[in-house]
Amino acid sequence: MGAPRDIGTFVVWDYVVFAGMLLISAVIGIYYAFAGGGQQTSKDFLMGGRRMTAVPVALSLTASFMSAVTVLGTPSEVYRFGAIFSIFAITYFLVVVLSAEVFLPVFYKLGITSTYEYLELRFNKCVRLCGTILFIVQTILYTGIVIYAPALALNQVTGFDLWGVVVATGVVCTFYCTMGGLKAVIWTDVFQVGIMVAGFTSVIIKAALIQGGISTIINDASNGGRLNFWNFNPNPLQRHTFWTIIIGGTFTWTSIYGVNQSQVQRYISCKSRFQAKLSLYINLLGLWVILVCSVLCGLALYSRYHDCDPWTAKKVSAPDQLMPYLVLDILQDYPGLPGLFVACAYSGTLSTVSSSINALAAVTMEDLVKPRFPSLSEKSLSWLSQGMSVLFGALCIGMAALASLMGALLQAALSIFGMLGGPLMGLFSLGILVPFANSIGALGGLLAGFAISLWVGIGAQLYPPLPERMMPLRLETHGCNSTYNGTNWMTTTEMPFSTSASQVHNIERTPLMDNWYSLSYLYFSTVGTLVTLFVGMLISLSTGGRKQNIDCRFLLTKEDFLSNFDIFKKKKQVLGYKSHPVEDGGTDNPAFNHIELNGTDQSSKISGTRL
């Protein structure tokens, strides 16, 4: 194959394509700021007026968790650790089913804006406040990483101006979130999913052409041991095995899809519960498509560089940069296409950041502002929500500056989600699944889960697990007839991950580090959730949780599952679509059923929601 040529650089057309993507996103924001009378109420701004349909919401759900961390991180993950990552396809299926059948029905029938309102209804104000604060911290941290990670990788390979891009991304995002609210967020996401798929496909097609077909790519991968799908080692310390991905992955991702405000807010904005469930199932297809694309890109990376790894040969300084490096290498003769790929990575970022900003605004308004100042008018609430968007946009850019000081990105991002998402999911599961849980148990469980998660998470960041736990596969450089002295000593298997305490001092490792801190990062969430659940149940039982009587609306009931089949019953009885009464198992959100379409005032919410 010979040495890869010198890679290209960015030309004018690439900048044009990238700027075009930012511009279209901004225009969508302006359009929704004025379309249909603009954003009159804070409900319009934060919930899209609850009139969204399934397909755009589904694409939007896909986009916002397929951030640039996915676009740049997954291919290099596959390149280094093999295609076992694709087992996540099963995980995604489990996650979507859990979200749609356990969490969605409860949130939807209560008609809430912020998922943390549920915590107050089910437990008390204090629990709600804890949940809200945890969420705000988690999201700002994560969003900072999401803005900074791609900027850094693209900057080092393409010479894109680092802080220019960070600020541009942040500003454009804040702009269309502030102007257009949730509707703009959802429709820009739809546009951005298109760009992401386009960017991926252009890379896969071109790589297949250069390497001589997909079959060559697959052969190279299997010769390099990259097709390691079946690793059934039950050891929880191995980073990715079948079990860590299925069990740990399901917990990590359910804490995102089931209870994370930025996701829940979207599917609650659908016009009926059927549409909401449908949007989750359609989104599953989107997740699969993007997973397949990114795994194929990873295998293409390996096929292209299987005998000359650019990372070991010091051509790129971090694995996240492999993907942009490949793009400039194979697409350099097509002006505009590298730009499309950068736009693809960035649309991942934009969609994630915009959903975070909108969710942060919603949570702050619903959980912190409205309870404090109940007398505010709708108009001023709407203005306030917009002000919140600007504020959180600025905060996230600030976090990006901090993220520039943090280490290996994909893992950092996911472990933050695991550390904070796990206990939160445990808290919601307590509320929805355990009838006897009370507020003391909930708080105790949350604190316990949080403490344990932080302990593992921070321990693992300080003392990274040993290479045999991580199992990186071999990377070769013997095929580089490179300029430096032609020496061959760089055929290493393992590169240091982060220059952290253990490599600096080289301290001898204790059993605590080798077992507890080496836990696969996917299990952080699992540990947090289970600890929260068990401690919560124990405390609730010992503080008289069985005596309380709880409105069954706050729990998952048999009817919630059976009402999935209502849609078949109705078709037989009623061919014309008559407005049916509310007492049919609550297929529709009580606050918005067909009879009182504009009853958005508090009294038409289910009586008794406001305790």
Side-chain angles (χ1 to χ4, degrees):
M1 206 195 85
R5 302 163 295 177
D6 286 341
I7 59 168
T9 48
F10 253 47
V11 293
V12 178
W13 286 110
D14 298 319
Y15 286 106
V16 170
V17 172
F18 180 68
M21 190 265 307
L22 286 180
L23 194 71
I24 294 179
S25 301
V27 168
I28 296 179
I30 299 178
Y31 173 76
Y32 280 104
F34 302 112
Q39 311 291 329
Q40 256 96 37
T41 64
S42 63
K43 179 147 243 131
D44 271 344
F45 183 77
L46 299 172
M47 310 277 297
R50 287 213 175 199
R51 288 186 299 277
M52 304 301 300
T53 47
V55 178
V57 172
L59 288 173
S60 165
L61 288 170
T62 306
S64 58
F65 273 94
M66 292 297 151
S67 61
V69 177
T70 322
V71 177
L72 303 174
T74 312
S76 67
E77 166 77 38
V78 173
Y79 175 73
R80 287 168 52 216
F81 299 99
I84 191 163
F85 198 85
S86 48
I87 302 285
F88 268 106
I90 308 173
T91 303
Y92 291 155
F93 173 74
L94 295 174
V95 166
V96 165
V97 170
L98 273 177
S99 307
E101 303 306 335
V102 177
F103 294 106
L104 186 143
V106 179
F107 291 149
Y108 202 91
K109 66 186 170 187
L110 289 175
I112 49 190
T113 305
S114 147
T115 38
Y116 303 98
E117 275 176 69
Y118 171 78
L119 293 177
E120 183 177 341
L121 299 176
R122 174 71 175 79
F123 301 117
N124 61 17
K125 271 205 169 55
C126 184
V127 180
R128 172 177 180 175
L129 206 64
C130 289
T132 307
I133 289 170
L134 265 184
F135 169 76
I136 291 178
V137 170
Q138 172 194 12
T139 311
I140 292 179
L141 280 175
Y142 181 70
T143 312
I145 291 184
V146 167
I147 296 180
Y148 178 74
L152 177 69
L154 295 167
N155 158 265
Q156 306 229 311
V157 180
T158 59
F160 236 54
D161 179 28
L162 179 64
W163 289 104
V165 170
V166 168
V167 175
T169 318
V171 168
V172 170
C173 247
T174 312
F175 174 75
Y176 69 76
C177 286
T178 310
M179 297 293 287
L182 188 71
K183 272 192 199 139
V185 173
I186 287 183
W187 283 104
T188 44
D189 282 357
V190 174
F191 161 67
Q192 284 153 5
V193 164
I195 296 239
M196 284 166 84
V197 176
F200 269 141
T201 5
S202 62
V203 174
I204 293 170
I205 293 172
K206 185 62 185 153
L209 287 176
I210 288 189
Q211 298 305 111
I214 295 279
S215 50
T216 329
I217 293 186
I218 302 293
N219 284 337
D220 283 344
S222 69
N223 297 339
R226 290 301 188 269
L227 299 181
N228 50 354
F229 292 111
W230 308 116
N231 176 354
F232 286 102
N233 182 350
N235 181 353
L237 305 181
Q238 300 273 309
R239 184 164 174 275
H240 281 166
T241 67
F242 182 81
W243 301 114
T244 53
I245 290 181
I246 295 284
I247 299 169
T250 302
F251 275 92
T252 304
W253 284 83
T254 309
S255 69
I256 294 172
Y257 267 84
V259 300
N260 189 317
Q261 173 68 25
S262 22
Q263 296 298 69
V264 175
Q265 189 174 358
R266 283 204 183 69
Y267 54 67
I268 289 184
S269 72
C270 289
K271 51 185 169 194
S272 70
R273 191 172 85 184
F274 173 68
Q275 293 275 346
K277 284 195 173 168
L278 192 62
S279 75
L280 273 171
Y281 287 116
I282 296 176
N283 144 66
L284 178 60
L285 296 175
L287 289 177
W288 280 343
V289 168
I290 294 205
L291 183 70
V292 168
C293 284
S294 53
V295 169
L296 276 176
C297 279
L299 297 178
L301 258 177
Y302 182 71
S303 169
R304 177 86 170 136
Y305 298 127
H306 62 96
D307 55 358
C308 175
D309 163 42
W311 185 32
T312 337
K314 295 280 184 287
K315 297 246 183 17
V316 297
S317 55
D320 289 326
Q321 298 165 17
L322 287 167
M323 201 59 202
Y325 183 83
L326 174 78
V327 169
L328 282 179
D329 181 17
I330 63 181
L331 294 176
Q332 58 184 359
D333 305 334
Y334 301 88
L337 280 187
L340 179 70
F341 179 79
V342 172
C344 158
Y346 264 100
S347 34
T349 304
L350 281 175
S351 58
T352 310
V353 175
S354 60
S355 55
S356 302
I357 290 178
N358 197 288
L360 284 166
V363 167
T364 318
M365 292 304 298
E366 286 298 316
D367 297 341
L368 303 175
V369 178
K370 276 187 188 170
R372 280 303 120 67
F373 310 105
S375 57
L376 289 172
S377 72
E378 270 303 334
K379 198 76 188 149
S380 51
L381 281 175
S382 187
W383 279 106
L384 255 175
S385 315
Q386 292 180 329
M388 289 293 164
S389 297
V390 176
L391 175 73
F392 282 119
L395 264 179
C396 292
I397 298 180
M399 262 318 298
L402 271 181
S404 60
L405 311 172
M406 287 174 63
L409 294 162
L410 192 84
Q411 206 140 343
L414 276 174
S415 47
I416 287 179
F417 259 155
M419 287 189 291
L420 300 176
L424 274 180
M425 183 172 126
L427 186 62
F428 280 101
S429 315
L430 262 183
I432 290 174
L433 302 174
V434 184
F436 56 77
N438 62 11
S439 49
I440 308 173
L443 272 175
L446 182 65
L447 288 175
F450 190 50
I452 299 266
S453 299
L454 273 182
W455 179 27
V456 190
I458 290 175
Q461 291 279 344
L462 290 182
Y463 308 107
L466 296 170
E468 58 267 27
R469 294 275 177 254
M470 313 284 290
M471 298 183 303
L473 303 170
R474 289 180 69 81
L475 302 169
E476 306 284 341
T477 50
H478 62 77
C480 301
N481 32 12
S482 62
T483 44
Y484 62 79
N485 319 344
T487 42
N488 215 352
W489 51 271
M490 283 299 277
T491 324
T492 53
T493 7
E494 224 285 312
M495 291 280 292
F497 276 89
S498 55
T499 46
S500 51
S502 73
Q503 276 115 356
V504 180
H505 305 303
N506 223 352
I507 36 189
E508 86 288 354
R509 298 180 63 92
T510 59
L512 179 73
M513 289 180 212
D514 276 342
N515 298 310
W516 183 227
Y517 292 162
S518 299
L519 196 62
S520 165
Y521 72 100
L522 286 168
Y523 276 130
F524 292 171
S525 181
T526 316
V527 168
T529 305
L530 294 179
V531 167
T532 305
L533 267 172
F534 284 128
V535 174
M537 285 179 183
L538 287 174
I539 298 183
S540 297
L541 284 175
S542 56
T543 53
R546 311 205 63 150
K547 296 194 196 61
Q548 58 181 358
N549 50 344
I550 285 199
D551 189 329
C552 65
R553 283 200 323 264
F554 302 151
L555 301 168
L556 186 68
T557 53
K558 202 164 68 237
E559 285 74 40
D560 284 327
F561 177 68
L562 295 176
S563 64
N564 280 340
F565 309 109
D566 284 358
I567 177 166
F568 302 118
K569 281 186 271 181
K570 289 218 178 46
K571 290 282 182 290
K572 291 190 187 87
Q573 301 161 358
V574 190
L575 285 171
Y577 189 56
K578 301 194 188 71
S579 56
H580 45 266
V582 192
E583 292 81 52
D584 58 357
T587 33
D588 271 313
N589 189 326
F592 298 90
N593 82 23
H594 315 295
I595 304 158
E596 357 174 67
L597 264 180
N598 26 18
T600 39
D601 56 308
Q602 291 303 324
S603 59
S604 74
K605 273 202 186 177
I606 329 158
S607 50
T609 324
R610 291 275 162 267
L611 298 178

